[in-house]
Every structure is written in structure tokens, then in C-alpha cells.
Amino acid sequence: MKPINVGLLGIGTVGGGTFTVLQRNCDEITRRAGRPIRITVVADKNLELAKQVTGGACRLTDDAFSVVNDPEVDVVIELIGGYGVAKQLVMQAIANGKHVVTANKALLATNGNEIFQAAQDKGVMIGFEAAVAGGIPIIKAVREGLTANRIEWVAGIINGTTNFILSEMRDKGLPFDTVLKEAQRLGYAEADPTFDIEGVDAAHKITLLASLAFGIPVQFEKAYIEGISKLDAVDIKYAEQLGYRIKLLGIARRTPEGIELRVHPTLIPAKRLIANVEGAMNAVLVQADAVGATLYYGKGAGAEPTASAVIADLVDITRMHTADPENRVPHLAFQPDAMIELPILSMDDVISSYYLRLRVADKTGVLADITRILADEQISIDAVIQKEPSDGEIQADLILLTHQTREKCINAAIVKIEALGVVAGHVTKLRMEELGK
Ligand code: HSE
């Protein structure tokens, strides 16, 4: 049967993995797809590298636009990244009636509405399984496996670099900077690690998952983003003593008032399976009304795990590309004319439990002053621990865990607590999620 012809843009880590896996598993993939999938042309600035990886098995060019304009190419794989030339190439490929597979979460989280609309208008498909949690088929699961359900929330460890850093900090008691260097040496971090450690990469991914889960437009600009660069190792230690692990979570939750869309370090009970996802692994927990909780775990990055997702999209496109566009699976799980605008809540209106750490003078009445402030804000305390002051010190660490409250109430209480003369410096605030029903 006539092969489907693929043009590959970018033969770095994931592009190389895609080439290798397609070649190695060629027979098995063809049996599934119904016809061979053949990379006929690769575009990369580094032609020497492209030659090494492909071994002369296909045409090479340093002009990516020649690939998206090539009438012989049926599907374009975009693995260049970023929002600049990658966007031009994707839009040009769509305009030329080509299907697109991309791992570019940044592009889709910021420009997805325009890209999906253009694809819809042209009757082409955009596969983006590789954009969220690498090799874990989470997009397929949310878009197709859970279609019976009303999804309540999604919470994911969707950045391997930060999960590696947090795991190492907890396990080895090492400071953030030391572990970040190790993560870069191992190749986990993006070229600019800021996107990883400041939560931007995770926010791109949870933005896409929120759209798939709730049928809302992509709204990255409304996501709340807080990374791990300011996380103090002492809080990882205290959290552990209290029975919690700290993870960088992407959270998307449906509430009666709107959608919570947020990324931040989060205390999770250590007994939860997701709290035990360590190293660079990813996991996504989805709570839905019929099925209950389902957990998806695997490698969120790397050459072959991400290639696995890219090729799964190629197979889907190969199977579906002769189907009428209206009979295909919608890009964001819901039919385009059935998407709804739900408000994304500001952090002030998010409801969570909190971990507070403060440094206080070890003397009578301090705790009473603090608990009074919390009571005035209608905040109920779940647990209080005061650490013994170290030898020769007159101040002690006080840790408070609260029951659920609105973020604006905890912020108001913190302002008043920090104004107390007996409290030194700032209060450290971390959010806590039970992640149970
Ligand atoms: N840099 C990402 C991570 C991998 O650390 O998970 C690609 O999304």
C-alpha cells in the first residue's frame, strides 16, 4: 500500500528518537497503521547531524519551509520548538493542507486556539500527544478514554526536571542550586532551565490538559505560575516530618465559580501514589465522576519515550486521514462548536489548605496572637508544631497546617501575622492538596 510521507522538522533528541523508533519498529507500526509511514525529508540547520542520524535514508535540507511547501509531504512533524519560526511553519503546513504532529507545548498553550481553528477550517489534524508528559498517552486518555465522564480535576507532575530536583533535595538533603546543575548535566532541563524551574513548562502542559478536560479555550495567560526556585530545603524536611511530600503540581479544577488553573509547589500526603513519583518521572491524576480517580505514570521526556507519542499521533493520522473531518476526534476532546467559556479563577478565589512556616520568639502568648488572627479570618487550624529552638537561639520555627480556606483570607492573615513584633521576617506559605475524593 502507498506509504504516508512525512517531513520531519528538527532532528535533535526527539527527532532522532522518532527516526530510530520508526525504523526499528517499522513492521509492527505498519501492521497497526495499515500502510507504511515513511520519513521522506528531514530539515535541520545541522546537516551533518541529520546525515549521521538518518544514515542517508532520506532527503535532507536546511530549509524547513521547503518541507512544509513540498507537495509530496502528507504530514509535517514540528520538533523545532518555540513560538517564532515554529508557528510560521505550522501555519504554513496547515494552509498547504498538511497534517501536523508537534511536541511544542509552548506554541499550543499560547497560540493553540488560532492553530486548532486553522486546522479545523482546512480539515487537517494536529497531533500533540508528545506535548504533555512525553511518552504517557495522557492526551489520548483524557480526549478519548474518559469521554463518558464529567472530569472534576486534573493534577499532574508534568515537569521531570523539577521532580528530579525535588526528589534529590529530599533524598540527599542537597540545596536547590547543586541539584539543578546535576539535572542540566543529565540533560533533563530545557535549554533555558527557567521554563522548567519557574513552572512555565508545567503551566503550558496543564493549560492544554484543562482545555481537554473541560472543553474550554486554551488560556495560558490566565494560569497562575509559581516554580520551585525559592523553595527552601527546610520546608521539604518539615513536610516530610508531617507526612507530606512537596511536588510541583499542575492543577486544573472545575468549581461552581469557574476553573482553577495553577502551577505551584504543593504538599501532598506521602501515602498517595502520586506523592511517590520520584526522579524525572511524570504522573497525571484525573478525578472524574464515573470512573473515579485514574493515574497515568511514565517518562515525561527523552528521545524514545517522546518519539513513542509522536509516532502514536502519526499512526492515528494515517488511520484517520481519509475520514471526513467531522468524523475525526476533535482536537480538544469537545466538538469545536461545543467549547464553552468558563472563567479562570484568580488565585484570590482559589480554595486550598495551607502550610505556614514562621520564625517566632519563643515566649508566652505568641501562639495565642497568631491563632486569633487566623480565627478572625475564619481559618481553621488543622495542626500546629513548634520546633525546639536550636542551642543558643531564642526564636523557634512554628509550622501551622490549616483546613481549607480561600487564598485571599490566608493572605490577609499573613499580612497581620507578619506585622506582629514577635514574628521575624516573612511567613512561608505553601499550598496543600489532599488529592483524594
Ligand atoms: N523539560 C521537560 C521536563 C521535558 O523537564 O519535563 C519536556 O517537556
Side-chain angles (χ1 to χ4, degrees), residues 164-180 231-238 240 278:
F164 173 81
I165 293 172
L166 293 175
S167 301
E168 291 286 290
M169 285 174 76
R170 184 183 72 81
D171 199 34
K172 303 195 176 133
L174 290 170
F176 172 81
D177 293 334
T178 311
V179 186
L180 172 61
L231 192 67
D232 196 319
V234 79
D235 293 310
I236 297 179
K237 187 178 81 182
Y238 287 157
E240 176 139 56
E278 299 289 12

Side-chain angles (χ1 to χ4, degrees), residues 105 159-161 188 190 196 201 205 301:
K105 58 261 169 178
N159 181 270
T161 305
Y188 294 140
E190 300 280 290
D196 291 305
D201 178 71
K205 295 166 180 167

Side-chain angles (χ1 to χ4, degrees), residues 9 41-43 59-73 76 89 92 96 98:
L9 311 181
V41 53
V42 171
R59 199 155 53 78
L60 305 179
T61 174
D62 60 2
D63 176 11
F65 282 95
S66 73
V67 175
V68 299
N69 291 325
D70 183 340
E72 297 298 313
V73 167
V76 170
L89 288 162
Q92 183 73 33
N96 288 338
K98 298 185 194 311

Side-chain angles (χ1 to χ4, degrees), residues 36-66:
I37 296 173
R38 200 177 62 183
I39 295 182
T40 52
V41 53
V42 171
D44 201 289
K45 290 269 170 252
N46 188 343
L47 286 173
E48 209 34 59
L49 171 73
K51 206 191 266 169
Q52 265 171 37
V53 177
T54 60
C58 66
R59 199 155 53 78
L60 305 179
T61 174
D62 60 2
D63 176 11
F65 282 95
S66 73

Side-chain angles (χ1 to χ4, degrees), residues 224 253 255-262 343-352 354 405-411 431:
Y224 172 80
R253 175 178 279 126
T255 78
E257 291 130 42
I259 302 293
E260 295 178 3
L261 184 59
R262 48 193 170 107
I344 306 290
L345 297 181
S346 86
M347 270 320 271
D348 267 358
D349 292 320
V350 161
I351 295 178
S352 177
Y354 293 88
T405 183
R406 235 173 246 283
E407 180 121 342
K408 66 177 152 214
C409 299
I410 202 83
N411 288 343
R431 299 168 188 92

